[in-house]
Amino acid sequence: MEVDKQQKVPAPERVIKKKKVTKERAAALEAMKKQKGYKKQMFYQEIVKRAQKYRRIYVSTAKSVKLHKKQANLHGNFYVPSEAKVAFVIRIRGINDMPPKERKILQLFRLRQIFNGVFVKLNKATINMLNRINPYIAWGYPSRETIHKLIYKRGFAKVNGQRLKLTDNDIISKNLSRKGLICMEDLVFQIATCGEKFREVTRFLWPFKLSAPRGGLRAKRKHFVEGANSFPHPPRLP
């Protein structure tokens, strides 16, 4: 009996199983990619919503201050805004001739190098500490624009003892999502308004490494009223 040459020979069972497994893996990978893209899209939408929410808060606060000033002027009074709650502190001197208590305070503020800067929450204790180390620092009250520029341009995170550049919101969401913080705008908002998560944000941020001012500092060992840079600057930093 002659065998029909055109009749197809069935594939081995192991080949059929391999094709089936490969197909299932490809389908699972495609589903995972779609799910990952969906999560990324939802994450981006949440960031946009938060940014818009914070912007509305900033605008309403500015309008409220402007309205209070206008009402005060109409009645012949003065409107005094609330005192600043956050200060930006920069170290401007080294360790030469520095008493041990002042050195310890600078360590507590994480100002271990010249031209390091940190955000500090102002209260009775921190103000007394700032007054104690006045000759070794320059500090002032940063505006929201200054905070925004510092975090976006010179912001670094402290992750497992390493200094990582804040180039992506994923770094923030992986380390601070349990605190409800997932993006850069969350950090800016918490510092600008001295929010409930201010401490967590400042601990997460590595001390800012700033450049020396052009032309150098004016008489670091003198007081601000004598033409130096050691005492607080005008109410708002540029």
Side-chain angles (χ1 to χ4, degrees):
M1 181 177 180
E2 296 182 358
V3 180
D4 188 4
K5 295 182 179 180
Q6 295 182 354
Q7 185 180 1
K8 292 184 179 180
V9 179
E13 187 177 354
R14 61 184 181 83
V15 176
I16 297 173
K17 286 184 177 180
K18 185 176 181 181
K19 287 183 177 180
K20 183 179 179 181
V21 171
T22 304
K23 190 175 181 180
E24 290 176 354
R25 286 181 179 176
L29 183 62
E30 188 67 23
M32 188 173 64
K33 286 182 178 180
K34 288 183 179 180
Q35 186 179 7
K36 188 176 181 180
Y38 176 74
K39 287 183 178 179
K40 190 173 183 180
Q41 185 179 4
M42 295 300 294
F43 179 67
Y44 176 75
Q45 290 178 0
E46 179 63 22
I47 291 174
V48 173
K49 287 181 182 179
R50 293 195 179 196
Q52 293 174 349
K53 173 187 172 183
Y54 297 149
R55 180 173 178 81
R56 288 194 297 268
I57 294 175
Y58 298 145
V59 172
S60 64
T61 303
K63 286 183 178 180
S64 177
V65 172
K66 190 175 181 180
L67 180 62
H68 282 89
K69 286 183 178 180
K70 188 175 181 180
Q71 291 178 350
N73 289 334
L74 290 175
H75 294 86
N77 296 327
F78 294 96
Y79 173 71
V80 180
S82 59
E83 295 183 355
K85 299 179 181 179
V86 178
F88 188 68
V89 185
I90 305 170
R91 180 170 178 170
I92 61 173
R93 286 182 59 183
I95 61 173
N96 289 343
D97 300 328
M98 183 183 295
K101 286 188 178 180
E102 280 74 357
R103 184 182 300 182
K104 182 64 177 178
I105 292 173
L106 289 172
Q107 290 178 359
L108 292 175
F109 282 143
R110 302 185 299 161
L111 297 172
R112 297 179 178 272
Q113 296 177 340
I114 298 178
F115 300 125
N116 274 11
V118 293
F119 291 105
V120 176
K121 185 177 182 179
L122 293 177
N123 52 40
K124 185 177 180 181
T126 55
I127 290 174
N128 289 336
M129 294 167 74
L130 291 175
N131 290 334
R132 185 75 182 249
I133 59 174
N134 250 335
Y136 308 98
I137 60 172
W139 62 283
Y141 312 129
S143 62
R144 181 177 58 84
E145 290 77 11
T146 302
I147 297 172
H148 186 277
K149 289 179 181 179
L150 280 171
I151 293 178
Y152 272 85
K153 292 183 178 181
R154 292 184 177 269
F156 284 81
K158 185 178 182 181
V159 180
N160 298 327
Q162 295 181 341
R163 184 172 180 258
L164 299 180
K165 176 70 174 176
L166 289 175
T167 56
D168 195 354
N169 289 318
D170 290 337
I171 300 175
I172 302 171
S173 63
K174 287 179 182 178
N175 294 275
L176 296 178
S177 58
R178 290 176 295 178
K179 304 293 183 181
L181 308 173
I182 61 172
C183 62
M184 302 280 276
E185 290 300 325
D186 288 334
L187 305 186
V188 175
F189 180 77
Q190 290 296 326
I191 294 177
T193 60
C194 194
E196 297 178 355
K197 306 297 191 305
F198 179 86
R199 187 176 182 182
E200 287 79 0
V201 171
T202 51
R203 282 185 173 183
F204 174 71
L205 291 174
W206 196 282
F208 295 90
K209 293 180 180 289
L210 307 177
S211 302
R214 292 181 181 178
L217 296 173
R218 303 189 308 271
K220 292 193 291 186
R221 294 180 179 273
K222 293 184 179 180
H223 200 272
F224 179 76
V225 297
E226 299 174 334
N229 297 92
S230 60
F231 196 71
H233 281 245
R236 286 191 177 276
L237 295 174

